[in-house]
Amino acid sequence: MGGTGAAAQRTRDRAGGTPAPLSRLWPWLALTCVLGPCAGASADSYEQARTDRVLAREGLKRDPAPEGKRIAFVKLIRDEVFLEDEVWPTWPNIFHMTTREPVIERELLFARGQSFRDARAEETMRNLRNLGVFALVRIVAVRTPDPSAVGVVVHTREFWSLRFEHDFTYTTGLDALMLQLAERNLLGRNKTVTLRYSLNKTYYGITQEYADPRVWGGPLSFGQSAGWTFSRTTRQREGEFISASLSHPFRNLAQQFSASLAGSLSSSIGRQVQNGVTLLYEHAPSMTLARRVWRSDATVVSGSASYRRGGAYKQTVTLGMSYSAVKRNDIPETALDPAAREDFYREVLGRQGAEVGPSIAYSLFVPRYRVLVNLRSFGQSETYRVGPTVSLSLRSPLRSLGSVRDALIASGGLSYRWARRGVGLLYASTSMATRMEE
C-alpha cells in the first residue's frame, strides 16, 4: 500500500493546518535525518490513483475549477483496510471496525450550501490524517448538473488499528523490554486504549492508557493513564501513578483560543542503579554507607489558556498556572544512619517541596506542510509541518503563593524541519534552559 521503505520518498507542499507531533528539543544541537528508499508510489500518485478508481466506480468526474462554487452535496466513501482489487485477501476486514461516519463528519471544515475552498479541503485532509486511523485521505470536488455547484467526495481508506508493538535493549543481557498492545480506533470511534508491559533490571510495570480526542463528539479532548511497578527481586509492588487531562486543543488554523487542565498523582521507589546493582552512598564524617534508594511522592496540577493569531506566521501566547509538590524520604532498604541523614537528603534526594506559580509561553511557526508516506508506519500517509519553530517560556514559583522558595525558570528553543522530495525528513533543533532562585 503506497510504497516500501522506512521513509517517505515523495512529498508535496501544503499550506496551513495543525502541527504534527514529530519533534523533540534536545539540550544542545541535535540533528536527525530519516532516510530510506521508497520503491512504491508517492502519496500523490497512489492516493490519486485510488480515488480515481472510486470516482469511476461511482460515475463521478472531477471539477477542474471548483473554487468558490456552492457545495451541492458531501459524500463519504470509506474503504476497508484490504480491498478486492489488490493482492491481499479481504477476510481480515471482519476483525476491523470501519471508522464511523460521525467521526469523519465532525472534522470537516465545510458543509453543504457553503462555498468550496481548496484551503479548507486541504486542512480537512490534514486533520483527518492526524487522527492516525487512515492510510489514505483524499477530498475531491466533482461535477454536478448545475455548473455553478460542485459535489465533494471525502475518500478514506482504513489503517489497521490493532497494533502489537515492542522495544528492547540488549547488551550482555536483556537490559530493557517493552511490550504494548494498542487499539487506536476502538469500535470505529477514534478512541485509543493501550496496555503496556515494561521491564528493566530492577523492576517491571504495567500501564494502561485511554485517549478520547472528541469527548461525546464535541470539542473537548480527554486522556487518562494509570500504572503499577513491581520489584523484580521481591515481586512486591513499589509504585503506582494516575494522571488525567482535559483540553480544548487547537483544531484548525482559524481557531484563536485553546485551554487545558491536567493533574497527576504518583508514588514510587527510586533507585540509582548501575549494571543492575544499587549504588551506595558513602558518608565520610560518620564513616557509614547507605543504599541510594528512596520513596518519592508527587502531586502535579496545571492549567493553561492560549491565544493564537497571524497569517503567514502563526504566533501563540499561553498563560498558565501550576502546582507541584514532591516529597522524597529514605526507607528501611536505604539503611541510612541518622548522622548522615542531612547530607544524604541534600546530596542524593535533591530539591523537593511545593512549587506554585504562573507561567507564560510564546511560540511561532510557519503554517507550511508536506505529506510523507511510509515514514512512521508502512502504508500510511502522514502530514508534517515544515519550516521554523520558535518557543520561549518563563515560569516563576512564588513563595507568596505557597512555594518553598522564589525562583525563575526560563527556557527557549529553535528548530527547523525540512522535507525534501526524494529524500525524506531532516530535522535540527537547539534549546537551552536556566533556573534562578534565592
Side-chain angles (χ1 to χ4, degrees), residues 272-292:
Q272 291 183 358
V273 178
Q274 186 174 12
N275 296 325
V277 178
T278 302
L279 299 179
L280 296 178
Y281 171 75
E282 183 177 353
H283 188 245
S286 63
M287 301 181 65
T288 60
L289 296 175
R291 292 178 176 270
R292 291 177 178 258

Side-chain angles (χ1 to χ4, degrees), residues 84-161:
E84 293 182 356
D85 60 355
E86 294 184 339
V87 298
W88 311 104
T90 59
W91 61 263
N93 287 330
I94 64 176
F95 300 106
H96 175 85
M97 184 168 289
T98 305
T99 303
R100 297 174 182 262
E101 288 190 358
V103 173
I104 300 174
E105 291 171 342
R106 65 196 180 207
E107 301 297 333
L108 304 184
L109 301 178
F110 50 82
R112 179 181 176 183
Q114 296 180 348
S115 297
F116 180 86
R117 302 296 179 191
D118 184 66
R120 290 183 182 178
E122 291 290 345
E123 188 170 1
T124 299
M125 285 193 286
R126 283 191 296 274
N127 291 347
L128 289 171
R129 289 190 187 101
N130 288 339
L131 297 181
V133 298
F134 299 118
L136 175 155
V137 176
R138 199 75 167 185
I139 296 177
V140 179
V142 297
R143 292 176 177 176
T144 67
D146 183 355
S148 65
V150 294
V152 178
V153 173
V154 180
H155 177 212
T156 62
R157 181 172 181 176
E158 294 290 306
F159 190 66
W160 192 264
S161 58

